[in-house]
Short mmCIF file of all heavy atoms in Angstrom, two decimals:
data_model
loop_
_atom_site.label_atom_id
_atom_site.label_comp_id
_atom_site.label_asym_id
_atom_site.label_seq_id
_atom_site.Cartn_x
_atom_site.Cartn_y
_atom_site.Cartn_z
N GLN A 1 93.83 -26.61 -56.56
CA GLN A 1 92.64 -25.81 -56.31
C GLN A 1 93.04 -24.42 -55.84
O GLN A 1 93.69 -24.26 -54.82
CB GLN A 1 91.77 -26.48 -55.25
CG GLN A 1 90.52 -25.71 -54.91
CD GLN A 1 89.72 -26.39 -53.82
OE1 GLN A 1 90.07 -27.47 -53.36
NE2 GLN A 1 88.64 -25.76 -53.40
N VAL A 2 92.65 -23.41 -56.62
CA VAL A 2 92.97 -22.03 -56.26
C VAL A 2 92.13 -21.60 -55.07
O VAL A 2 90.92 -21.80 -55.06
CB VAL A 2 92.73 -21.11 -57.46
CG1 VAL A 2 92.91 -19.65 -57.05
CG2 VAL A 2 93.66 -21.46 -58.61
N GLN A 3 92.79 -21.02 -54.09
CA GLN A 3 92.07 -20.56 -52.91
C GLN A 3 92.71 -19.29 -52.38
O GLN A 3 93.93 -19.15 -52.35
CB GLN A 3 92.08 -21.64 -51.82
CG GLN A 3 91.09 -21.39 -50.72
CD GLN A 3 90.95 -22.58 -49.77
OE1 GLN A 3 91.77 -23.49 -49.75
NE2 GLN A 3 89.89 -22.58 -48.98
N LEU A 4 91.85 -18.35 -51.97
CA LEU A 4 92.28 -17.12 -51.33
C LEU A 4 91.53 -17.02 -50.02
O LEU A 4 90.30 -17.12 -49.99
CB LEU A 4 91.95 -15.91 -52.21
CG LEU A 4 92.63 -15.86 -53.58
CD1 LEU A 4 91.99 -14.78 -54.45
CD2 LEU A 4 94.12 -15.60 -53.43
N VAL A 5 92.26 -16.81 -48.92
CA VAL A 5 91.64 -16.76 -47.61
C VAL A 5 92.07 -15.48 -46.90
O VAL A 5 93.26 -15.30 -46.61
CB VAL A 5 92.01 -17.98 -46.76
CG1 VAL A 5 91.35 -17.88 -45.38
CG2 VAL A 5 91.59 -19.28 -47.45
N CYS A 22 95.87 -11.93 -46.79
CA CYS A 22 95.26 -12.82 -47.77
C CYS A 22 96.26 -13.92 -48.08
O CYS A 22 97.35 -13.65 -48.59
CB CYS A 22 94.90 -12.05 -49.03
SG CYS A 22 94.29 -13.11 -50.38
N ALA A 23 95.89 -15.15 -47.74
CA ALA A 23 96.75 -16.31 -48.00
C ALA A 23 96.31 -16.98 -49.29
O ALA A 23 95.14 -17.37 -49.42
CB ALA A 23 96.68 -17.29 -46.85
N ALA A 24 97.23 -17.09 -50.24
CA ALA A 24 96.93 -17.72 -51.52
C ALA A 24 97.46 -19.15 -51.55
O ALA A 24 98.56 -19.41 -51.05
CB ALA A 24 97.57 -16.92 -52.65
N SER A 25 96.70 -20.05 -52.13
CA SER A 25 97.15 -21.43 -52.27
C SER A 25 96.63 -21.99 -53.59
O SER A 25 95.66 -21.47 -54.16
CB SER A 25 96.67 -22.29 -51.11
OG SER A 25 95.26 -22.30 -51.04
N GLY A 26 97.30 -23.01 -54.08
CA GLY A 26 96.89 -23.63 -55.34
C GLY A 26 97.49 -22.96 -56.56
O GLY A 26 97.26 -23.40 -57.68
N PHE A 27 98.23 -21.89 -56.35
CA PHE A 27 98.91 -21.20 -57.44
C PHE A 27 100.04 -20.37 -56.84
O PHE A 27 100.09 -20.15 -55.64
CB PHE A 27 97.95 -20.30 -58.23
CG PHE A 27 97.47 -19.09 -57.47
CD1 PHE A 27 98.03 -17.84 -57.70
CD2 PHE A 27 96.47 -19.20 -56.52
CE1 PHE A 27 97.59 -16.72 -57.00
CE2 PHE A 27 96.03 -18.10 -55.81
CZ PHE A 27 96.60 -16.85 -56.06
N THR A 28 100.94 -19.91 -57.71
CA THR A 28 102.06 -19.08 -57.27
C THR A 28 101.73 -17.62 -57.49
O THR A 28 101.44 -17.19 -58.60
CB THR A 28 103.34 -19.45 -58.05
OG1 THR A 28 103.63 -20.83 -57.83
CG2 THR A 28 104.51 -18.62 -57.55
N LEU A 29 101.78 -16.86 -56.40
CA LEU A 29 101.42 -15.46 -56.45
C LEU A 29 102.38 -14.65 -57.32
O LEU A 29 101.96 -13.71 -58.01
CB LEU A 29 101.39 -14.90 -55.04
CG LEU A 29 100.83 -13.51 -54.85
CD1 LEU A 29 99.40 -13.44 -55.37
CD2 LEU A 29 100.90 -13.11 -53.39
N LEU A 32 101.67 -12.71 -60.83
CA LEU A 32 100.26 -12.36 -60.96
C LEU A 32 99.96 -11.06 -60.22
O LEU A 32 100.58 -10.76 -59.21
CB LEU A 32 99.37 -13.46 -60.39
CG LEU A 32 99.23 -14.74 -61.20
CD1 LEU A 32 98.39 -15.75 -60.43
CD2 LEU A 32 98.62 -14.47 -62.57
N ILE A 34 97.30 -8.88 -57.94
CA ILE A 34 96.33 -9.20 -56.92
C ILE A 34 95.75 -7.91 -56.37
O ILE A 34 96.43 -6.90 -56.28
CB ILE A 34 96.94 -10.07 -55.80
CG1 ILE A 34 95.83 -10.64 -54.91
CG2 ILE A 34 97.96 -9.30 -55.01
CD1 ILE A 34 96.23 -11.92 -54.23
N ASN A 76 103.54 -16.41 -50.38
CA ASN A 76 102.25 -16.41 -51.08
C ASN A 76 101.18 -15.65 -50.31
O ASN A 76 100.04 -16.08 -50.20
CB ASN A 76 101.77 -17.83 -51.36
CG ASN A 76 101.74 -18.16 -52.85
OD1 ASN A 76 102.44 -17.55 -53.66
ND2 ASN A 76 100.91 -19.12 -53.22
N CYS A 95 90.06 -10.23 -51.18
CA CYS A 95 91.21 -10.23 -52.07
C CYS A 95 90.84 -11.02 -53.32
O CYS A 95 89.93 -11.87 -53.29
CB CYS A 95 92.47 -10.76 -51.42
SG CYS A 95 92.44 -12.47 -50.91
N ALA A 96 91.52 -10.72 -54.41
CA ALA A 96 91.14 -11.30 -55.69
C ALA A 96 92.32 -11.35 -56.63
O ALA A 96 93.22 -10.51 -56.55
CB ALA A 96 90.01 -10.48 -56.31
N THR A 97 92.28 -12.29 -57.55
CA THR A 97 93.29 -12.37 -58.58
C THR A 97 92.66 -12.86 -59.87
O THR A 97 91.51 -13.34 -59.86
CB THR A 97 94.46 -13.28 -58.17
OG1 THR A 97 95.55 -13.11 -59.08
CG2 THR A 97 94.04 -14.75 -58.14
N GLY A 98 93.39 -12.72 -60.97
CA GLY A 98 92.84 -13.14 -62.24
C GLY A 98 93.70 -12.64 -63.39
O GLY A 98 94.91 -12.47 -63.24
N THR A 114 89.15 -13.38 -61.59
CA THR A 114 88.74 -14.76 -61.80
C THR A 114 88.46 -15.47 -60.48
O THR A 114 87.54 -16.28 -60.38
CB THR A 114 89.84 -15.54 -62.56
OG1 THR A 114 90.15 -14.86 -63.78
CG2 THR A 114 89.41 -16.96 -62.87
N TYR A 115 89.26 -15.16 -59.47
CA TYR A 115 89.13 -15.83 -58.18
C TYR A 115 88.94 -14.81 -57.06
O TYR A 115 89.67 -13.81 -57.00
CB TYR A 115 90.37 -16.68 -57.89
CG TYR A 115 90.61 -17.76 -58.92
CD1 TYR A 115 91.58 -17.60 -59.90
CD2 TYR A 115 89.86 -18.93 -58.92
CE1 TYR A 115 91.80 -18.59 -60.84
CE2 TYR A 115 90.07 -19.91 -59.88
CZ TYR A 115 91.04 -19.73 -60.82
OH TYR A 115 91.25 -20.70 -61.77
N TRP A 116 88.00 -15.12 -56.17
CA TRP A 116 87.70 -14.28 -55.02
C TRP A 116 87.94 -15.06 -53.73
O TRP A 116 87.72 -16.29 -53.69
CB TRP A 116 86.23 -13.86 -55.02
CG TRP A 116 85.83 -12.95 -56.13
CD1 TRP A 116 85.25 -13.31 -57.32
CD2 TRP A 116 85.95 -11.53 -56.17
NE1 TRP A 116 85.01 -12.21 -58.08
CE2 TRP A 116 85.41 -11.09 -57.40
CE3 TRP A 116 86.44 -10.58 -55.27
CZ2 TRP A 116 85.37 -9.75 -57.77
CZ3 TRP A 116 86.40 -9.25 -55.64
CH2 TRP A 116 85.87 -8.85 -56.88
N GLY A 117 88.33 -14.37 -52.68
CA GLY A 117 88.32 -14.95 -51.36
C GLY A 117 86.91 -14.87 -50.78
O GLY A 117 85.99 -14.36 -51.42
N GLN A 118 86.76 -15.35 -49.55
CA GLN A 118 85.43 -15.38 -48.94
C GLN A 118 85.08 -14.07 -48.26
O GLN A 118 83.92 -13.85 -47.92
CB GLN A 118 85.35 -16.54 -47.92
CG GLN A 118 85.86 -16.21 -46.52
CD GLN A 118 87.36 -16.08 -46.45
OE1 GLN A 118 88.08 -16.41 -47.37
NE2 GLN A 118 87.85 -15.61 -45.29
#
Side-chain angles (χ1 to χ4, degrees):
Q1 179 182 357
V2 173
Q3 194 170 16
L4 298 168
V5 179
C22 174
S25 60
F27 70 101
T28 301
L29 189 58
L32 286 176
I34 193 155
N76 246 23
C95 63
T97 192
T114 305
Y115 300 103
W116 294 96
Q118 85 288 349

